[in-house]
C-alpha cells in the first residue's frame, strides 16, 4: 500500500486514488488534495479535467510536461478552508507545499478558489497571498502591560534598560 502524497495519512487507494480514477470530490479540500496528488503522479489529464474553463485557459500543459520530470514533491499542508459545505457553490482552500526543482528546494502558499457546477472544480488561485493587516496599538505608559502581568506598562515591559 502506498501512502497518499496529499498528507492525509491514508493510503492512496482510499484517499485521492478514487477521485483521480473518476469519483467526484465531496469538498474543495478533497479536490485540492487530489489535484496535488495528481501533480505528484504526473497526471495532467486529471489536472485539466478538474478545472473550470477560465482556469483551464491559464494552464500551460507544455510547461508542466517539461517541469514535472525534474520536480520532486516533498510535502503539502492544508492551512485553512472556507465554504464548500453541501449548501455552498463556492469554497477556498489555503495550502502550502514544498518541492525541489533543479536541485533547489522551493515552497509556495496558495489560496485556491473552487466552484461547484455539476461537481467541484478548481477556478484559480492567488499565489503567496498576503495575510490580514496587523494593527499595532500604541501603548501608553500608564496602560496595563500587554504581557498580562497586571502592572502598568511603565513599571513592567516599558522599563527602559
Amino acid at each position: 500500500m502506498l501512502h497518499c502524497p496529499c498528507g492525509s495519512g491514508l493510503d492512496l487507494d482510499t484517499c485521492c486514488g478514487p477521485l483521480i480514477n473518476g469519483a467526484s470530490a465531496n469538498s474543495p479540500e478533497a479536490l485540492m488534495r487530489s489535484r496535488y496528488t495528481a501533480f505528484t503522479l504526473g497526471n495532467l489529464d486529471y489536472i485539466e479535467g478538474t478545472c473550470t474553463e477560465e482556469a483551464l485557459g491559464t494552464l500551460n500543459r507544455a510547461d508542466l510536461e517539461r517541469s514535472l520530470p525534474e520536480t520532486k514533491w516533498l510535502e503539502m499542508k492544508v492551512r485553512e478552508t472556507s465554504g464548500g459545505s453541501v449548501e455552498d457553490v463556492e469554497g477556498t482552500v489555503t495550502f502550502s507545499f514544498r518541492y525541489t526543482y533543479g536541485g533547489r528546494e522551493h515552497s509556495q502558499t496558495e489560496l485556491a478558489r473552487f466552484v461547484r457546477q455539476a461537481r467541484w472544480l478548481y477556478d484559480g488561485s492567488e499565489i503567496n497571498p498576503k495575510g490580514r493587516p496587523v494593527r499595532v496599538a500604541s501603548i501608553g505608559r500608564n496602560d496595563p502591560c500587554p504581557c498580562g502581568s497586571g502592572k502598568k506598562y511603565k513599571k513592567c515591559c516599558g522599563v527602559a534598560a
Side-chain angles (χ1 to χ4, degrees):
M1 289 195 244
L2 179 65
H3 280 299
C4 193
C6 81
S8 67
L10 301 173
D11 291 324
L12 178 61
D13 292 340
T14 58
C15 189
C16 293
L19 300 178
I20 292 171
N21 290 323
S24 291
N26 62 2
S27 69
E29 181 179 348
L31 180 59
M32 191 278 311
R33 286 181 177 279
S34 68
R35 286 174 53 84
Y36 174 82
T37 297
F39 272 113
T40 69
L41 300 173
N43 188 336
L44 297 180
D45 291 337
Y46 181 76
I47 299 300
E48 288 179 334
T50 55
C51 287
T52 61
E53 287 297 320
E54 183 178 324
L56 194 56
T58 65
L59 188 104
N60 187 327
R61 185 172 179 133
D63 282 350
L64 288 172
E65 287 173 343
R66 275 192 297 279
S67 67
L68 280 176
E70 295 181 50
T71 304
K72 180 180 179 188
W73 302 95
L74 303 174
E75 175 185 46
M76 190 273 303
K77 291 182 180 177
V78 172
R79 301 289 183 196
E80 184 178 353
T81 62
S82 175
S85 71
V86 179
E87 302 86 30
D88 293 326
V89 294
E90 295 179 348
T92 62
V93 177
T94 303
F95 65 103
S96 59
F97 58 96
R98 295 181 316 112
Y99 62 99
T100 59
Y101 179 78
R104 295 182 56 198
E105 187 172 320
H106 304 272
S107 64
Q108 185 168 305
T109 298
E110 287 190 34
L111 170 61
R113 296 179 312 279
F114 297 86
V115 296
R116 186 193 328 249
Q117 293 174 353
R119 59 193 173 107
W120 284 109
L121 295 171
Y122 168 79
D123 194 41
S125 66
E126 181 181 348
I127 297 172
N128 296 323
K130 293 183 179 177
R132 296 182 184 135
V134 177
R135 292 185 179 219
V136 178
S138 177
I139 302 168
R141 291 177 33 83
N142 289 317
D143 290 339
C145 191
C147 77
S149 68
K151 297 178 182 178
K152 288 185 178 183
Y153 180 67
K154 68 182 178 185
K155 297 283 186 175
C156 191
C157 295
V159 174

